[in-house]
C-alpha cells in the first residue's frame, strides 16, 4: 500500500484568482497541502507558480465544475497522491445577471448560473465525498453569499436590500439548501458542512467594487475549513457570526 503524508490536504475550486486564490494562500500558510483548482490550465499553473514562489505547498489540479469528467479525474489524482481529502472548498462561482431585473432575466442566464454555482458544486462534492469520508476531520465549505439569504432580502433595512439579481441570488440560496441537507446526511460522521459569506469583496466578479480585501473575504472560508471537532455544521456564517437563512 502507498504511504501518504500526514499533512492535511485541501482542494479549492475556481482558485486561480480572487477569493479562491487567497483561500489557497491562507490554508497553505497553516501548513496544509493545497490543491489549487482551475478550469484553465495556464491560469491555474500561473497562480500555483506565484504561491510556490512564496514558499507555499500548493499544486495545480485541473477542474471545471461544469465538466464531470474533470471531477472523476480529480478524484483519481487525489486518491492516488494523498489517499484522502480533508478539506473541500466549493468556491468557483459566476455572476451574470447583475444588471438584469428578475422579471427580465433570460432562461439561459439562469441555467448557466445554476450550472456553475449550484449543480457544479454538488457534482464536485459528490465526486470527492468518498475521499472526504476517509479523513478523520473532513470539512466542506460552500462559498455562498449574503445575497443568498432570503431573510436579509426581506429586510428593507439590510444594506444590500436593493441588490436583487435573481439568477445569482437564487443560486446561492439553493447552495445554502445543499449545505443544510448534506450536513444533515453527514451529521453522524466527522465531516462538517457549512456555507460561508465572504462579504462584498473587491474581485473581478464585481469589477472590484467590493469594499473588503480578498484577505478579509477569505478569512471566514478558512475558519470554516479548519473548524475544530466541536465546531458547527449545517450553518451559514460571515466573519461577524451567523447569517440568517
Ligand atoms: P472571481 O475573482 O471572478 O473568481 C471566480 C473564480 O471562479 C475564477 O477563478 C473562475 O475561473 C472560477 N470559475 C468560474 N467558473 C468556473 C468553472 N466552470 N469551473 C471552475 N472554475 C470556475 O470571483 P470571487 O469574487 O473571487 O468569487 C469567488 C466566490 O465567492 C464565488 O462563489 C462568489 O459567488 C463568492 N462571493 C463573492 C463575493 C464578492 O463580493 N466578490 C461576495 C460573496 C460571495 P476563471 O478565471 O477561469 O474564470
Amino acid at each position: 500500500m502507498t504511504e501518504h503524508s500526514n499533512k492535511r490536504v485541501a482542494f479549492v475550486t475556481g482558485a486561480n484568482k480572487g477569493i479562491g486564490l487567497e483561500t489557497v494562500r491562507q490554508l497553505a500558510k497553516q501548513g496544509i497541502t493545497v490543491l489549487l483548482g482551475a478550469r484553465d490550465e495556464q491560469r491555474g499553473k500561473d497562480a500555483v507558480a506565484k504561491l510556490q514562489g512564496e514558499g507555499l505547498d500548493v499544486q495545480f489540479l485541473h477542474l471545471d465544475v461544469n465538466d464531470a469528467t474533470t471531477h472523476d479525474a480529480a478524484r483519481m489524482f487525489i486518491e492516488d497522491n494523498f489517499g484522502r481529502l480533508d478539506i473541500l472548498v466549493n468556491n468557483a462561482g459566476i455572476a451574470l445577471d447583475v444588471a438584469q431585473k428578475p422579471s427580465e432575466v433570460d432562461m439561459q442566464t439562469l441555467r448557466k448560473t445554476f450550472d456553475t454555482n449550484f449543480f457544479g458544486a454538488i457534482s464536485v462534492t459528490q465526486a470527492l465525498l468518498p475521499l472526504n469520508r476517509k479523513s478523520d476531520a473532513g470539512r466542506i465549505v460552500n462559498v455562498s453569499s449574503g445575497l443568498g439569504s432570503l431573510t436579509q432580502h426581506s429586510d428593507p433595512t439590510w444594506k444590500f436590500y436593493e441588490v436583487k439579481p435573481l439568477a445569482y441570488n437564487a443560486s446561492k440560496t439553493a447552495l445554502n439548501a445543499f449545505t443544510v441537507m448534506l450536513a444533515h446526511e453527514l451529521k453522524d460522521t466527522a465531516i462538517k458542512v457549512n456555507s460561508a459569506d465572504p462579504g462584498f469583496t473587491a474581485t473581478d466578479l464585481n469589477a472590484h467594487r467590493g469594499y473588503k480585501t480578498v484577505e478579509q473575504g477569505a478569512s471566514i472560508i478558512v475558519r470554516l475549513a479548519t473548524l475544530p471537532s466541536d465546531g458547527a455544521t449545517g450553518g451559514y456564517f460571515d466573519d461577524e457570526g451567523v447569517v440568517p437563512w
Side-chain angles (χ1 to χ4, degrees), residues 4 9 77-85 130-131 134-135:
H4 295 295
V9 56
F77 176 85
I78 298 170
E79 171 104 67
D80 289 350
N81 289 279
F82 303 98
R84 67 174 198 285
L85 181 64
L131 297 177
K134 291 186 181 179
S135 169

Side-chain angles (χ1 to χ4, degrees), residues 13-20 37-40 43 63-66 90-94 116-117 143-146 168 172 196-206 210 214 221:
T13 68
N16 51 285
K17 65 178 182 178
I19 295 169
R39 58 177 162 177
D40 181 272
R43 287 197 288 270
L63 184 131
D64 184 329
V65 300
N66 295 325
N90 285 311
N91 169 75
I94 54 174
T116 298
N117 295 3
V143 181
S144 180
S145 164
Y168 183 78
K172 296 298 189 180
D197 167 21
F200 192 32
T201 304
T203 67
D204 288 351
L205 192 89
N206 50 42
V214 285
I221 301 171

